[in-house]
Amino acid sequence: MLPRPRGGEGREGTLTLRSPLRVRCDDAWREDLEVFATDLAGAVGWTVRRVDDGEDCDIDARRDGGCGSEGYRVRVGERIDIAAGDAAGFSYALTALRQLGPAQLWSRTPSELATWTLDALDLVDAPSFAWRGVHLDVARHFFDVAAVRRLIDLLAAHRLNHLHLHLNDDQGWRVEVPAWPGLTTVGAWRSGSPVGHEHDDVRDDVAHGGFYNAADVAELVEHARRRHVRLIPEIDLPGHAQSLLAAYPQFGNTGAPLEVWTHWGISHHVLNVEAATLEFADEVVRYVAGLFPDSPVHIGGDECPSVQWERSAAARDVMDQRGFDDPRQLQGLFTERLTRSLLAEGRAVLAWDEVLDAEVIPGTTICAWRSARKGVEAAERGFDVIMAPMQHLYFDWLSSDGPEEPVAVAPWPYVTTWEKVYGVAVIPEGLHPAHHHHVRGAQAQLWTEYIDSVARLDYMAFPRLCAFSEVVWGTGGDVEEFRPRLEHHLRRLDAMGVAYRALDPARDR
Ligand code: ACM
């Protein structure tokens, strides 16, 4: 199984299941059963029937608060008994059962399965970390609703429970904001993209773009909710703003017309620090947050060059008024404004670790990406942390230093093998145990400068994401023990149609 459950042992005997499967479960878990039934029908054409107390059943699922949040127990004997702390735990128990069957149960094209035989066993399972996340940059390359729905399914199959959507960047704005239509009529489209590596300085003339409207977002939110995945919207300001400025140059520092950027990298065109701009940013972020009703909101904050502020008389005036001696402190005006208004609306707020360089409101959760050390620093300062260190968890980095790798974000030494991912420590080294409770979990990043299709996304994400899912579930251990389970798990990915990278392309050639 993958991720490996916390505990389990086999017993004598087997249980053979056939369609229709009769399942008794809590009324509140009806939706999870429907998802399971749809998946099973799609894979092997089986029927799942919900039965009442007292009737014969194949699976009997009961609520047991002792299992903890997202936790479950499974006992396979003369029938299957499930205990779960909540609906997520029930759904994870069903995922575990499917993993105990043939890979065919994961297929997206139906095939015949007469019987499904399980060995008798007991499993006890619960995650160590509540935030088991994946980040997807839909700004550099747009991924449509179908691609994101598919990724959500793949997360759920690995018991990952957060999908962070990076919704804007210099190269594209991806969510419609009706009050500011230019964000998508202009900002969602660029005239071309780099060909090969950005360093090669070659561009195509192929328009690229796309965006989600409110109905698209609602569809994604609902699809994710049914699979216990929470979507996290990110609007990244005040840097990474060139697509916004292409639509509304009045919010920039020069007023000069700009195009949506056709380079990869960090544009030095950033928002100005006038009151109207802060007001605009606040309005847009709150609107987008409203499309994701129960989600924490990520306000970006990474890589904001201050060169335009240094040259701007208006920005210098604001510095004087505020008594700032470093233009980077101006970024704190955005962080503070957006955080306060989101917190006032009852929303949790996340930001990249650069925000620690200026004013940060208590209660902000820090995504530590520049290094694990940034996570230590944030936790020691009393902030909750999501660990996203690029050295282990940036899946846009090369998967190996072999010649077969496609162009990736940077050449060697930016290499992260799946074995290296398996070795990541969610609790960063050097963090005093008194601060461990601040580490809410970890997140793998899929930046998409060099990921322009679902096939390439699969290649960069898998099998690294499999390794990550086990580490962040909290049951990672010895890579030699993991490897055969991973090899077996690849059959499930085959069934799901995932174009993963081979474990050892050099050996497999
Ligand atoms: C980042 O990679 N700029 C968060």
Side-chain angles (χ1 to χ4, degrees), residues 302-303 352 369 394 447:
D302 59 323
E303 299 177 323
W352 297 113
W369 75 274
Y394 269 36
W447 296 101

Side-chain angles (χ1 to χ4, degrees), residues 125-355:
D125 202 9
S128 297
F129 297 99
W131 191 291
R132 303 181 303 280
V134 174
H135 150 288
L136 177 67
D137 168 13
V138 293
R140 270 52 173 270
H141 281 103
F142 179 61
F143 287 85
D144 66 13
V145 168
V148 179
R149 284 173 62 120
R150 176 179 179 275
L151 184 62
I152 291 166
D153 292 348
L154 290 168
L155 262 60
H158 293 83
R159 294 189 217 130
L160 296 164
N161 63 358
H162 288 82
L163 177 62
H164 166 176
L165 294 173
H166 182 75
L167 290 168
N168 72 294
D169 215 299
D170 297 312
Q171 300 84 359
W173 184 282
R174 304 289 174 229
V175 60
E176 187 175 45
V177 180
W180 297 95
L183 290 173
T184 42
T185 55
V186 175
W189 307 96
R190 65 172 180 263
S191 60
S193 309
V195 177
H197 201 282
E198 170 67 30
H199 295 169
D200 301 338
D201 204 19
V202 179
R203 243 147 290 283
D204 63 23
D205 288 321
V206 181
H208 178 83
F211 61 90
Y212 311 114
N213 63 24
D216 294 331
V217 173
E219 179 180 342
L220 289 175
V221 167
E222 175 62 6
H223 186 80
R225 187 190 64 74
R226 287 171 68 91
R227 283 153 189 79
H228 300 283
V229 174
R230 198 151 60 153
L231 299 186
I232 310 300
E234 177 191 356
I235 295 295
D236 193 3
L237 298 173
H240 290 286
Q242 188 165 326
S243 63
L244 178 169
L245 294 173
Y248 298 108
Q250 68 268 34
F251 297 127
N253 291 279
T254 67
L258 286 169
E259 58 167 17
V260 179
W261 215 23
T262 57
H263 290 267
W264 307 140
I266 308 169
S267 167
H268 63 273
H269 293 287
V270 304
L271 298 191
N272 67 39
V273 293
E274 289 163 28
T277 306
L278 284 157
E279 183 65 36
F280 160 79
D282 192 33
E283 178 189 336
V284 166
V285 169
R286 281 191 292 117
Y287 171 78
V288 174
L291 299 176
F292 297 81
D294 300 317
S295 293
V297 178
H298 197 300
I299 58 167
D302 59 323
E303 299 177 323
C304 181
S306 54
V307 12
Q308 289 192 327
W309 293 338
E310 280 156 41
R311 291 186 193 142
S312 151
R316 281 199 305 274
D317 282 349
V318 175
M319 287 184 64
D320 289 346
Q321 285 156 23
R322 302 266 176 172
F324 293 163
D325 52 18
D326 182 338
R328 283 180 306 176
Q329 289 170 283
L330 292 169
Q331 178 172 345
L333 299 178
F334 284 90
T335 315
E336 187 182 347
R337 170 75 181 252
L338 298 176
T339 307
R340 280 201 198 288
S341 69
L342 288 165
L343 289 177
E345 293 188 358
R347 310 303 289 264
V349 179
L350 296 100
W352 297 113
D353 63 49
E354 284 95 328
V355 298

